[in-house]
């Protein structure tokens, strides 16, 4: 059918492609063949399939639901029937009936499933169902700054295969800056489905058909204010950072500032000295080609390698490295040295890209204008074998004074948004969780919102750790804040946290909620967010005369109504 010359060119070309690229190419060729046969209607309308896929999502902050909805829209435009289902509502007994099953799911905290997907996750791992007729794919959302990056997606992908299901696409793991990778995965899903299910291919140019965003807009900012909010004697350092820009910013309260951090010169030079690698040698990584020094400085994660990276490092170097060991690349090189510079060139290729760090914005466009933006940053310190370290981004903000220039982007939020001005708002923000609520309160003040505002704030000590104390007290005096309840855990023998203040105000709190108030929490997922949710259930039981089951159902109802939103990490 083909000349020897053409066949050889095809073999040479396809030998360089990844599995995902081969899948795309397969769909592309099928589309070209269908077009030549005149298979498509002249109108270009999609041909309906006689089979349907299920697209399930597990979400905590709304990102997985947003992506799943995008995928459903793309699939429907291509003639693929879609049943969209949240895993919190999915009937596990239907799983054995599924033929085409795709999952979009995030990972929370240290490798846990989203709260609303936990029941499905547990059932999947506890019940030995047979899924031999199922074809599946998993898109996992996560954050590479956590040790258990995308673990929930990995677990579901592995478990579905173990139960006999056939993987149609490799597991795709996405970091916090997930849009581009996830849209590429969505295109591949549509291509594979059309090829496998037998749809008339409408994909002669599949990556052009769906318009992709050009990427996040990056801004150049200058730090104009950088002050430590904690007083002398505090155990903490929390920095209020004000950033000025030459152009108007596009953001709303609830959004986050994204910074792609750079590694320290000391760490980069230490790696070069330990390996003898040529710092000017250009190397192609997964996302960029650049000299070694630039890669190590600006593009690669050298301080928090994933378990999978350490495993690959062990394979390249021939060492047996304990799976639980979490060392930086400089630490690994000292403990398990590279024997040749060429070997480290291979190590560079397995390093993951530097992940953006997201900080909740603590300014409000209505109050502070569009030419500046504020963030609230806690200095993150930890120990590696008794050696004190500082997080790469928090070190940047804690050590760089006014006048420092840097690049950032805005990470939009879909669900963590203020309600209408006439609605009441309850905000729970211990520690740096105060950041988005400083933005909320300032915006409500600027808008003259008639809805009431109630803030719960907590920290260690009143004297040294009451972040934004003067501002909050002013808002209380002027009536912008209706209620301000604070908890300082270390100021008395028995520790008191925000959830204890909520219990003390339980009757009034329940009255606000039952009359339509919107609730928000920001801060650490473990243990604060979980403890607060447990307390809400207790409040619903006591002041709403509900059973445990009814109280939990009521909390779930608030989530469904968009009246209980979380920005937790």
């Amino acid at each position: 059918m083909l000349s020897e010359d053409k066949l050889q060119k095809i073999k040479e070309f396809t030998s360089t492609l990844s599995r995902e690229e081969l899948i795309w190419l397969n769909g592309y060729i099928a589309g070209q063949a269908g077009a030549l046969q005149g298979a498509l209607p002249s109108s270009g309308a999609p041909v309906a399939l006689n089979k349907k896929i299920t697209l399930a999502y597990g979400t905590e902050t709304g990102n997985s639901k947003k992506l799943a909805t995008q995928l459903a829209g793309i699939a429907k435009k291509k003639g693929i029937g879609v049943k969209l289902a949240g895993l919190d509502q999915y009937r596990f007994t239907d799983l054995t009936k599924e033929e085409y099953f795709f999952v979009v799911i995030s990972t929370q905290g240290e490798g846990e499933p989203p709260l609303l997907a936990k029941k499905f996750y547990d059932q999947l791992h506890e019940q030995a169902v047979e899924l031999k007729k199922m074809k599946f794919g998993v898109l996992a959302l996560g954050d590479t700054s956590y040790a258990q990056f995308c673990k929930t997606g990995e677990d579901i992908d592995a478990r579905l295969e173990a139960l006999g299901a056939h993987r149609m696409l490799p597991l795709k793991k996405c970091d916090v800056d997930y849009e581009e990778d996830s849209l590429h995965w969505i295109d591949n899903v549509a291509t594979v489905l059309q090829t496998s299910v037998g749809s008339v291919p409408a994909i002669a140019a599949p990556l052009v058909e769906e318009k992709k965003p050009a990427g996040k807009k990056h801004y150049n900012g200058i730090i104009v204010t950088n002050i430590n909010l904690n007083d002398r004697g505090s155990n903490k350092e929390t920095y209020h950072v004000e950033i000025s820009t030459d152009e108007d910013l596009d953001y709303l309260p609830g959004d986050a500032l994204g910074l792609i951090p750079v590694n320290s010169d000391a760490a980069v030079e230490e790696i070069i000295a330990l390996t003898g690698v040529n710092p000017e040698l250009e190397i192609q990584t997964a996302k960029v080609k650049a000299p070694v020094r630039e890669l190590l400085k600006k593009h690669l994660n050298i301080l928090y390698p994933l378990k999978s990276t350490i495993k690959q490092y062990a394979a390249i170097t021939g060492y047996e490295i304990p799976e639980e060991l979490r060392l930086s690349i400089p630490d690994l090189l000292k403990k398990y040295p590279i024997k040749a510079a060429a070997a480290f060139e291979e190590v560079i290729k397995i390093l993951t890209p530097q992940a953006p760090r997201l900080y909740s914005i603590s300014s409000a466009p209505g109050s502070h204008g569009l030419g500046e933006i504020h963030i609230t940053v806690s200095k993150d310190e930890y120990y590696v074998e008794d050696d004190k370290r500082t997080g790469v981004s928090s070190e940047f903000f804690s050590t760089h004074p006014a006048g420092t220039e840097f690049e950032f982007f805005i990470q939009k939020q879909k669900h963590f948004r203020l309600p209408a001005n006439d609605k009441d708002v309850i905000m729970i923000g211990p520690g740096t969780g105060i950041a988005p609520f400083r933005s909320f309160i300032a915006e409500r003040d600027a808008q003259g919102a008639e809805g009431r505002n109630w803030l719960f704030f907590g920290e260690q000590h009143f004297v040294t750790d009451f972040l934004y104390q003067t501002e909050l007290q002013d808002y209380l005096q002027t009536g912008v804040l209706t209620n301000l309840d604070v908890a300082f855990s270390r100021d008395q023998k028995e520790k008191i946290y925000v959830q204890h203040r909520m219990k003390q105000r339980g009757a009034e709190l329940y009255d606000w909620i039952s009359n339509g108030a919107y609730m928000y929490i920001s801060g650490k997922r473990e243990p604060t967010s979980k403890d607060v949710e447990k307390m809400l259930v207790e409040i619903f039981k006591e002041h709403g005369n509900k059973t445990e089951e009814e109280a939990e159902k009521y909390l779930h109802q608030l989530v469904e109504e968009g009246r209980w939103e979380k920005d937790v990490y």
Side-chain angles (χ1 to χ4, degrees), residues 146-168:
Y146 286 82
Q148 302 296 330
F149 174 58
C150 287
K151 185 177 185 297
T152 300
E154 289 178 341
D155 291 347
I156 289 178
D157 181 84
R159 183 60 177 165
L160 289 174
E161 183 182 43
L163 293 172
H166 172 68
R167 186 184 291 105
M168 293 186 73

Side-chain angles (χ1 to χ4, degrees), residues 3 35 46 86 278 352 358 370 383 395 483 514 537 569:
S3 68
N278 178 1
T352 55
L358 300 180
L370 296 175
Y383 287 87
E395 181 178 31
N483 295 326
S514 59
V537 169
Y569 46 86

Side-chain angles (χ1 to χ4, degrees), residues 2 5-15 25:
L2 288 175
D5 181 52
K6 286 183 179 179
L7 183 60
Q8 185 61 33
K9 287 180 179 178
I10 289 174
K11 286 181 178 179
E12 290 175 358
F13 173 64
T14 55
S15 67
L25 184 63

